[in-house]
């Protein structure tokens, strides 16, 4: 299955697990049903969780949306 996401694209991701707010990041690697995302923008309340994840998480492709370039 071909992914619509490419490395380097900016995406908005749904909250999950320890993250209590949605966040924005860039795609670092694309897998079959998920992608590794480097977290760029997140809510201040999620600061500790983002640090625990070392600013990088695995996100299901269906929980990601491309951020339109402005």
């Amino acid at each position: 299955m071909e992914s619509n996401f490419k490395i380097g694209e900016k995406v908005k991701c749904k909250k999950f697990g320890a993250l209590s707010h949605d966040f924005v990041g860039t795609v670092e690697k694309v897998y079959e049903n998920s992608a590794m995302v480097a977290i760029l923008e997140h809510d201040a309340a999620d600061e500790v969780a983002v640090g625990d994840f070392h600013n990088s998480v695995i996100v299901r492709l269906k929980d990601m949306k491309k951020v339109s370039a402005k």
Side-chain angles (χ1 to χ4, degrees):
M1 182 175 163
E2 185 69 23
S3 169
N4 291 333
F5 297 100
K6 306 288 183 224
I7 294 173
E9 285 185 320
K10 195 170 183 180
V11 292
K12 181 168 183 162
C13 305
K14 289 184 184 178
K15 63 183 179 178
F16 70 93
L19 297 170
S20 55
H21 300 85
D22 293 351
F23 59 94
V24 175
T26 56
V27 176
E28 292 187 325
K29 185 166 182 161
V30 179
Y31 302 103
E32 190 172 329
N33 296 310
S34 60
M36 181 181 291
V37 177
I39 300 172
L40 300 175
E41 303 168 23
H42 60 85
D43 192 273
D46 291 331
E47 186 69 35
V48 173
V50 170
D52 289 345
F53 291 141
H54 301 284
N55 296 337
S56 193
V57 292
I58 303 294
V59 181
R60 292 181 296 192
L61 295 179
K62 67 180 187 175
D63 289 341
M64 295 173 21
K65 198 167 42 167
K66 291 181 187 178
V67 175
S68 57
K70 295 180 181 175

